[in-house]
């Protein structure tokens, strides 16, 4: 149990760390990518507003001095003065059929005019106002009788973005591994007091159970002697009845403690699980008839299982006893055994008056019973399903409860 709890602690810690790292790294890279697009669109918008060229507010080497020399806004307010020298771009004008009418690829050396024309045609076919084509950010401007496609080379920025993305992922993975190592080390220290407390509790239950057995045996023996001397009476019968119930509860608690003991080795043998299901179910048929209930068994033949036979028999008896107790009169109980791939599935399904889905996860807790069962005269202590869970987990299996409509309860054991 403690190993499972420690495992859950490690998993929750790692999932929390992974979620935080994903949000942080994802947000940073998303903002970085958005900044690349924003800057590229800003430059493209300037080119679009100036017919595919930078405004002549800055004296570029191949440009003539502007006339008039003073623009409405200083060039530095429009963009950085270095942008015209750093930007590599080309543009093309296409008619309504997608045919290239004119092309200017003089401001880029990475591609030739034919490749530029091919990119322009392919981007034009996408019929989008802006977007990416390979490493080029483009914008589309509708003209009379055609469209202008302006492409800006963002290869350097995208390369930097990808390098940062991969670096951040790599660093995050290293950080995650480091956290995993630390959590594994410190979880043992954190869980030590809990494990010690649990072991003391388990040992107390075992020791107390064995100590209680002796006085219970004496009380039962004395009640039997008094009954022989004084004849039967309701008080002595009540004493003996409650003694038997208390002895049964004590035995169940000791058995549960033994099953939950870490490192508990079961005396496993190969046996026919199909025969066990048939035999155990047959022993409950008479009880089901007296309660006007229908018990049907569908056990696939020749299914064998390696485990502690008596423990598995007790597991099925608990499930059947639980189903018969809480199934209403004329209710239906179904036992199914089948093999699915590499797993064996044993299920007990019964009708109930009502059950909430919130109660399903608590059915296997010690001493837990639903309100309806508390009000019924079914007896029991709410510990049977806890024993069933302990037996299942001792055999490395899983047990779960399901209800599709709130009127049926199905408990499935998977080995």
């Amino acid at each position: 149990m403690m190993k499972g709890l420690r495992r859950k602690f490690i998993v929750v810690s790692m999932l929390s760390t992974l979620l935080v790292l994903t949000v942080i790294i994802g947000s940073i890279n998303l903002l970085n990518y958005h900044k690349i697009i924003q800057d590229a669109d800003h430059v493209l918008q300037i080119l679009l507003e100036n017919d595919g060229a930078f405004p002549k507010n800055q004296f570029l080497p191949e440009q003539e001095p502007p006339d008039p020399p003073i623009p409405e806004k200083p060039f530095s307010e429009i963009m950085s003065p270095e942008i015209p020298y750093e930007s590599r771009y080309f543009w093309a004008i296409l008619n309504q059929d997608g045919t290239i009418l004119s092309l200017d690829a003089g401001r880029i050396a990475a591609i030739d005019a034919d490749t530029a024309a091919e990119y322009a045609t392919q981007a034009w076919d996408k019929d989008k106002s802006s977007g990416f084509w390979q490493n080029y950010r483009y914008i589309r401007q509708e003209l009379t009788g055609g469209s202008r496609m302006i492409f800006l080379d963002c290869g350097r920025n995208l390369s930097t973005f990808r390098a940062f993305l991969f670096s951040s992922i790599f660093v995050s993975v290293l950080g995650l591994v480091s956290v995993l190592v630390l959590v594994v080390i410190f979880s043992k220290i954190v869980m030590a007091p809990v494990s010690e407390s649990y072991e003391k509790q388990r040992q107390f239950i075992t020791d107390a159970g064995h100590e209680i057995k002796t006085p219970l045996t004496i009380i039962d023996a004395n009640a039997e002697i008094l009954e022989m001397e004084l004849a039967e009476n309701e008080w002595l019968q009540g004493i003996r009845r409650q003694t038997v119930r208390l002895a049964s509860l004590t035995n169940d608690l000791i058995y549960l403690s033994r099953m939950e003991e870490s490192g508990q080795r079961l005396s496993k043998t190969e046996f026919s699980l199909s025969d066990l299901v048939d035999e155990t179910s047959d022993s409950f048929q008479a009880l089901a008839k007296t309660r006007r209930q229908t018990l049907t068994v569908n056990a696939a033949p020749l299914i064998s299982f390696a485990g502690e036979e008596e423990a598995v028999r007790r597991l099925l008896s608990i499930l059947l006893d639980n189903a018969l107790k809480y199934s209403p009169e004329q209710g239906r109980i179904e036992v199914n055994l089948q093999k699915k791939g590499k797993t064996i599935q044993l299920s007990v399904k019964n009708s109930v008056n009502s059950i909430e889905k919130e109660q399903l996860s608590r059915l296997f807790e010690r001493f837990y019973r639903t309100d309806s069962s508390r009000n019924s005269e079914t007896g029991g202590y709410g510990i049977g399903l806890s024993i069933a869970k302990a037996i299942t987990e001792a055999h490395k299996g899983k047990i779960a409860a399901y209800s599709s409509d709130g009127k049926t309860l199905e408990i499935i054991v998977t080995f």
Side-chain angles (χ1 to χ4, degrees):
M1 181 177 179
M2 287 297 103
K3 288 183 179 179
L5 189 60
R6 184 185 175 196
R7 213 165 19 242
K8 288 180 181 179
F9 175 77
I10 293 173
V11 170
V12 170
S13 300
M14 295 310 300
L15 287 176
S16 300
T17 305
L18 177 62
L19 179 62
V20 172
L21 283 176
T22 302
V23 171
I24 293 175
I25 299 302
S27 299
I28 292 174
N29 283 280
L30 190 63
L31 291 172
N32 192 13
Y33 184 72
H34 179 72
K35 185 67 168 62
I36 292 173
I37 294 176
Q38 190 178 39
D39 292 344
D41 286 346
H42 179 62
V43 174
L44 286 170
Q45 190 63 35
I46 292 173
L47 292 171
L48 184 145
E49 293 173 355
N50 292 272
D51 297 329
F54 285 105
K56 298 180 181 181
N57 302 328
Q58 184 78 359
F59 295 112
L60 298 177
E62 64 275 18
Q63 292 177 333
E64 296 295 329
D67 188 21
I70 302 176
E72 294 181 3
K73 280 188 177 181
F75 190 81
S76 59
E77 291 186 17
I78 301 174
M79 60 182 178
S80 171
E82 298 298 326
I83 291 295
Y85 300 94
E86 297 174 351
S87 301
R88 295 292 177 263
Y89 65 94
F90 66 92
W91 58 263
I93 297 178
L94 302 88
N95 62 14
Q96 295 179 349
D97 297 329
T99 305
I100 302 290
L101 299 178
S102 61
L103 178 72
D104 182 1
R107 297 304 184 106
I108 190 167
I111 59 175
D112 54 22
D114 292 337
T115 305
E118 181 183 352
Y119 285 3
T121 303
Q122 291 172 342
W124 183 88
D125 289 337
K126 295 176 71 174
D127 197 25
K128 292 184 178 180
S129 59
S130 62
F132 271 103
W133 186 258
Q134 296 189 6
N135 288 333
Y136 296 90
R137 182 73 178 173
Y138 69 85
I139 191 169
R140 179 170 180 165
Q141 179 185 24
E142 297 299 332
L143 305 173
T144 304
S147 303
R148 186 199 301 271
M149 307 289 295
I150 305 176
F151 292 79
L152 179 67
D153 185 7
C154 299
R156 185 182 300 175
N157 291 336
L158 291 175
S159 178
T160 304
F161 165 75
R162 294 189 190 102
F164 180 80
L165 176 62
F166 293 138
S167 299
S168 60
I169 292 175
F170 179 72
V171 172
S172 298
V173 171
L174 286 181
L176 204 61
V177 172
S178 302
V179 171
L180 175 60
V181 173
L182 293 174
V183 169
V184 170
I185 294 173
F186 288 113
S187 64
K188 190 173 183 179
I189 300 174
V190 172
M191 296 298 295
V194 180
S195 179
E196 183 181 356
S197 176
Y198 175 77
E199 287 300 320
K200 287 181 178 178
Q201 178 188 11
R202 187 193 60 77
Q203 189 63 42
F204 170 77
I205 293 173
T206 303
D207 294 343
H210 286 296
E211 291 297 326
I212 291 173
K213 276 186 173 183
T214 301
L216 284 177
T217 304
I218 294 173
I219 292 172
D220 187 56
N222 290 340
E224 186 176 356
I225 293 173
L226 287 173
E227 194 173 64
M228 292 171 60
E229 293 182 356
L230 304 176
E232 290 187 5
N233 61 70
E234 57 181 314
W235 294 282
L236 290 176
Q237 289 179 358
I239 290 173
R240 296 195 66 186
R241 187 165 53 249
Q242 295 306 319
T243 302
V244 170
R245 289 190 65 196
L246 188 55
S248 175
L249 174 60
T250 303
N251 290 331
D252 285 346
L253 286 173
I254 294 173
Y255 186 83
L256 178 60
S257 180
R258 183 177 74 86
M259 279 295 164
E260 290 182 342
E261 185 178 352
S262 57
Q264 171 69 22
R265 291 187 177 181
L266 303 175
S267 55
K268 293 184 178 181
T269 56
E270 189 86 15
F271 63 92
S272 174
L273 186 57
S274 300
D275 292 343
L276 184 146
V277 170
D278 287 332
E279 293 169 6
T280 308
S281 300
D282 286 343
S283 64
F284 283 86
Q285 287 287 1
L287 181 60
K289 288 181 180 179
T290 59
R291 296 181 178 180
R292 298 180 183 178
Q293 296 167 336
T294 304
L295 174 59
T296 57
V297 182
N298 300 303
L302 303 176
I303 295 181
S304 60
F305 178 66
E308 190 174 282
E309 184 174 356
E310 288 307 313
V312 177
R313 189 184 301 276
R314 183 167 188 171
L315 163 65
L316 180 56
S317 298
I318 289 171
L319 297 182
L320 283 169
D321 182 63
N322 186 77
L324 266 66
K325 279 182 179 179
Y326 302 123
S327 182
E329 188 174 330
Q330 296 183 348
R332 295 183 59 85
I333 298 99
E334 296 179 14
V335 181
N336 293 285
L337 176 68
Q338 55 186 328
K339 195 167 185 179
K340 290 187 174 182
K342 296 182 179 180
T343 64
I344 298 173
Q345 191 176 88
L346 170 65
S347 69
V348 177
K349 184 177 181 181
N350 63 281
S351 52
V352 293
N353 290 322
S354 66
I355 187 167
E356 302 292 336
K357 289 188 176 181
E358 293 77 12
Q359 296 174 328
L360 296 177
S361 59
R362 301 192 59 194
L363 288 178
F364 302 100
E365 295 179 6
R366 294 184 186 183
F367 305 110
Y368 176 79
R369 292 186 294 178
T370 60
D371 292 336
S372 58
S373 66
R374 285 185 182 276
N375 296 329
S376 65
E377 297 178 358
T378 56
Y381 311 96
I383 199 174
L385 291 180
S386 299
I387 296 175
K389 181 181 180 182
I391 294 173
T392 303
E393 291 180 347
H395 287 83
K396 310 299 181 184
K398 295 181 180 179
I399 187 170
Y402 304 92
S403 179
S404 58
D405 54 5
K407 295 295 183 181
T408 57
L409 173 64
E410 183 175 18
I411 297 179
I412 299 177
V413 178
T414 305
F415 294 117

